[in-house]
Amino acid sequence: MQTKYKYIVVTFLSLNVLYTFAQEREKDTIDTDVVNVVKPYTPTIADAFKIKETAQLNDSTNTKKKVIRYNIFSIPVASTFTPAKGKAASVDKEKPVKLYDNYASLGVGTYTTILGEVYLNHALSRTERVGGYFSHHSSQGDIEGIRFDNNFSETGLNAHYSQKLRDYAWKVEGGLQLQSFNWYGVPDQSIDLFDVDHSFYAANFGGNISFEDAVINKGSVLYRRFGDNQDSGENRFILTTEFEVPISGEAITTEVNIDYIGGSFDRSYFFDQELKYGNFNIGIAPSYELKQDDLTINLGARLVYLNDTEASESKFFIYPNITASYRVVDELMIAYGGIQGGLIQNSYFDFAQENPFVSPTLFVSPTDQVYNASIGLKGKLSNSMSYNISGHYMADNNRAIFKANSLLGAPETNYQYGNSFGIVYDDITTFSLAGELNVDVNRNFKLGLKAEYFTYNTDIEAEAWNLPDIEASLFLDYQIDEHWFAGANLFYVGERKDLFREEGILVLPMPTTMTLDSYFDVNAHVGYKITDQLSAFAKANNIANQDYQRWMNYPVQGIQFLAGATYQFDF
């Protein structure tokens, strides 16, 4: 009984304690605390252990595995096939071509023609080279229908020294030139013969320099003295440089040009009075190149200051200098165009090189090319064929063109018989369309075609004298095999016009416009390489045997043949 009461008392006390604890928890509040994590939880996967027990089968129908035995029966088969052992194919290696730095060439032909060349180039060290060039071309003429002397001779000599260093390279050179011709284009070949020869000489000295990673990119200088046996003389000095000017992080390429020319002639064509001329100009041409994807644009202008030293007059010119190109289809089709202009410094030297029958009585003045607008399309038709189609529209003020001098009634010199040419100036606009096609197959076959059509509009002159309406050319080179090579070229020049005039005290001036027929000139050559150093060649010029006139009253030689040899060497 006592024990029963004990259990009741213990139970009552336990319930009382629980009730009191619960009342205290209701009065508790939640306090904030900081928990510092000493190490983040990184769970791992325990290795699995394979049960190494064999399951016991209590199947009464369990059967044993059968033992399988294989027997191979060999049956002989007759065969005549014997496989050959593999062998690597051999590649034929061509013998490397030995290149020589020097050569000498000599050829002789009909009309007592002599053609000779010598080119020398020698390395003094890894950075220094010295060399020279000598050429001679002469012929006795013997043009059919011409009674006056018509032989010619051209001889040139040039020497140079160059050095190429790490940051820059420079070259200095000088040369001499001697030319002799005859004013044989006398309209009346039945008159008494007289001496019609004249000659030119030239001496030049200059050099150029180029820099790597410098503000100045390159520069060049040239001085030339040119004259003739008629007491004429001309001095020309040209200095050009190109450098980059950084502006706002962009590079502006700038070209500066200084050009001086001065000369004199012993007399004018009509009067025994000395002619003098002199022009000095300074030009600056800044440009900026902009590239974006397939588009390239060059934005620039050209500013030129001109001073006529003889007339004491000065002028200032501003020309556009803008070009652009866009790759329409990568290398297959590229569209391009631009508008440019400039002041062209004419010279007695340039006139005489283009037309050696000019009289020493010229008035030399610069040409103001206001603009030359162009647009074109070029690209590749295949890996070995490229094309170029373009159109031009030019406006030239004071453009120089050749015009036949008058036949004087009482000539005083050997060039006043209507057998020489002068220079006239006019404002001329020119429109032209040109096309070009080039083929290059494995460097063994090369073909080039080019043609251009011109139309002219003059201001004062009745015609654009001696300017053709069409010019075309074809060039062909073919390496037949290791020894034989051949080539050909053809030139076509369209009609031109000139003016024939007679002037004198008892002669009424009645100018007659003469039309010079178009002509084509076909030339070919063939050669044989005897050794690595020696080769022989043969040439044929004017194969069609045309007696065309390049200038009025100046027919050319007929068909011509020439043969010679070329020797290459080192020293």
Side-chain angles (χ1 to χ4, degrees):
M1 187 71 177
Q2 293 179 353
T3 304
K4 182 179 181 180
Y5 283 118
K6 289 180 180 179
Y7 285 116
I8 293 173
V9 171
V10 171
T11 301
F12 177 79
L13 293 174
S14 299
L15 292 173
N16 187 40
V17 171
L18 291 172
Y19 177 78
T20 304
F21 180 75
Q23 293 295 321
E24 291 177 354
R25 292 296 298 173
E26 289 178 356
K27 296 179 182 180
D28 289 347
T29 61
I30 298 176
D31 297 330
T32 60
D33 199 356
V34 176
V35 178
N36 295 323
V37 178
V38 177
K39 181 180 180 182
Y41 175 65
T42 55
T44 58
I45 300 176
D47 296 335
F49 297 96
K50 196 172 184 180
I51 301 176
K52 299 179 181 180
E53 293 183 1
T54 303
Q56 299 293 329
L57 300 177
N58 296 324
D59 191 352
S60 60
T61 61
N62 188 23
T63 58
K64 296 182 179 179
K65 294 182 178 181
K66 293 182 179 181
V67 179
I68 299 175
R69 295 180 179 180
Y70 298 94
N71 295 321
I72 300 175
F73 298 95
S74 299
I75 300 176
V77 177
S79 176
T80 59
F81 173 71
T82 303
K85 295 182 180 180
K87 183 179 180 181
S90 60
V91 179
D92 296 333
K93 295 183 180 180
E94 294 185 359
K95 183 180 179 180
V97 179
K98 169 65 175 177
L99 300 178
Y100 297 90
D101 292 334
N102 313 274
Y103 75 87
S105 178
L106 178 63
V108 294
T110 56
Y111 298 97
T112 320
T113 300
I114 300 176
L115 178 64
E117 289 181 325
V118 176
Y119 178 78
L120 303 175
N121 188 17
H122 180 63
L124 300 176
S125 65
R126 295 180 58 184
T127 61
E128 296 175 291
R129 303 191 76 88
V130 63
Y133 176 73
F134 172 81
S135 65
H136 175 80
H137 185 199
S138 64
S139 177
Q140 293 304 311
D142 298 330
I143 299 175
E144 185 178 357
I146 299 298
R147 297 174 58 242
F148 290 87
D149 292 339
N150 50 85
N151 60 290
F152 72 89
S153 174
E154 296 182 88
T155 303
L157 176 65
N158 180 275
H160 67 268
Y161 171 82
S162 62
Q163 186 177 36
K164 187 175 182 179
L165 302 177
R166 179 178 179 182
D167 298 326
Y168 66 94
W170 62 278
K171 180 180 180 180
V172 61
E173 60 183 341
L176 299 172
Q177 185 180 37
L178 180 63
Q179 302 169 301
S180 64
F181 301 94
N182 287 276
W183 284 301
Y184 63 86
V186 179
D188 186 3
Q189 290 287 320
S190 63
I191 64 175
D192 294 337
L193 298 179
F194 55 90
D195 191 7
V196 291
D197 74 300
H198 64 284
S199 59
F200 304 109
Y201 68 87
N204 65 82
F205 180 80
N208 60 73
I209 187 170
S210 60
F211 297 91
E212 296 287 341
D213 300 327
V215 175
I216 299 177
N217 297 331
K218 58 183 179 180
S220 64
V221 62
L222 170 67
Y223 170 75
R224 180 177 59 235
R225 172 67 181 180
F226 179 72
D228 58 29
N229 64 341
Q230 308 289 326
D231 295 330
S232 307
E234 179 182 79
N235 296 302
R236 182 84 180 268
F237 177 79
I238 304 174
L239 174 66
T240 61
T241 182
E242 181 183 292
F243 56 90
E244 293 183 352
V245 179
I247 299 178
S248 301
E250 300 291 342
I252 305 298
T253 302
T254 304
E255 179 181 333
V256 177
N257 179 77
I258 298 175
D259 194 341
Y260 167 78
I261 188 170
S264 64
F265 296 101
D266 189 54
R267 57 167 297 158
S268 67
Y269 190 76
F270 296 99
F271 306 103
D272 188 6
Q273 182 180 359
E274 185 181 19
L275 288 178
K276 292 184 177 181
Y277 60 93
N279 295 292
F280 172 77
N281 68 65
I282 300 177
I284 181 170
S287 64
Y288 172 70
E289 184 179 72
L290 175 64
K291 287 187 177 181
Q292 184 174 1
D293 298 331
D294 295 326
L295 178 64
T296 301
I297 300 177
N298 285 281
L299 302 174
R302 186 177 299 275
L303 293 81
V304 180
Y305 168 79
L306 171 65
N307 177 252
D308 188 335
T309 59
E310 290 297 324
S312 299
E313 295 179 355
S314 300
K315 294 181 180 180
F316 185 74
F317 303 89
I318 300 178
Y319 301 101
N321 189 17
I322 302 172
T323 60
S325 64
Y326 180 72
R327 295 179 180 270
V328 182
V329 186
D330 199 17
E331 296 289 337
L332 302 180
M333 184 181 295
I334 302 174
Y336 65 92
I339 178 169
Q340 297 173 293
L343 189 69
I344 303 173
Q345 184 81 287
N346 296 313
S347 67
Y348 182 32
F349 173 82
D350 294 331
F351 292 146
Q353 299 309 301
E354 184 176 356
N355 183 353
F357 309 112
V358 292
S359 63
T361 58
L362 307 179
F363 179 73
V364 180
S365 178
T367 296
D368 172 23
Q369 188 171 85
V370 182
Y371 59 83
N372 181 356
S374 62
I375 186 171
L377 199 66
K378 62 182 180 179
K380 291 184 176 181
L381 299 175
S382 65
N383 290 332
S384 59
M385 186 178 298
S386 63
Y387 66 92
N388 188 359
I389 303 172
S390 63
H392 293 262
Y393 186 75
M394 297 179 291
D396 296 317
N397 292 337
N398 206 45
R399 178 174 175 176
I401 53 178
F402 295 102
K403 185 178 181 181
N405 287 323
S406 302
L407 169 59
L408 300 186
E412 299 177 2
T413 64
N414 57 357
Y415 53 80
Q416 292 179 327
Y417 290 81
N419 57 338
S420 63
F421 295 84
I423 295 293
V424 294
Y425 295 88
D426 198 4
D427 297 342
I428 302 176
T429 57
T430 306
F431 173 74
S432 67
L433 290 174
E436 185 176 355
L437 182 67
N438 292 293
V439 180
D440 188 349
V441 181
N442 297 329
R443 298 183 179 181
N444 291 329
F445 178 82
K446 294 182 180 180
L447 174 67
L449 293 168
K450 185 177 181 180
E452 191 166 6
Y453 170 75
F454 303 90
T455 60
Y456 309 96
N457 185 19
T458 59
D459 183 30
I460 300 175
E461 297 293 328
E463 300 286 348
W465 309 115
N466 288 293
L467 295 180
D469 55 354
I470 297 177
E471 286 185 342
S473 60
L474 180 148
F475 297 92
L476 170 66
D477 282 309
Y478 182 44
Q479 184 70 40
I480 302 173
D481 56 24
E482 183 181 356
H483 296 283
W484 287 97
F485 58 91
N489 55 68
L490 182 150
F491 302 95
Y492 175 82
V493 178
E495 290 185 348
R496 294 135 293 134
K497 293 184 179 181
D498 209 333
L499 193 67
F500 175 75
R501 296 165 293 170
E502 289 188 66
E503 297 186 23
I505 299 176
L506 301 177
V507 179
L508 294 177
M510 296 181 63
T512 304
T513 300
M514 309 293 291
T515 299
L516 303 181
D517 294 335
S518 60
Y519 67 89
F520 64 91
D521 193 340
V522 182
N523 311 294
H525 67 271
V526 64
Y528 181 78
K529 191 175 181 179
I530 303 172
T531 65
D532 288 343
Q533 294 179 267
L534 181 63
S535 60
F537 63 86
K539 295 183 179 181
N541 297 330
N542 194 8
I543 297 176
N545 197 27
Q546 287 197 328
D547 56 347
Y548 62 86
Q549 296 184 18
R550 174 65 182 90
W551 306 99
M552 188 174 70
N553 298 322
Y554 279 89
V556 300
Q557 294 175 340
I559 188 170
Q560 308 145 43
F561 297 98
L562 184 141
T566 300
Y567 181 73
Q568 303 179 78
F569 58 95
D570 284 333
F571 65 90

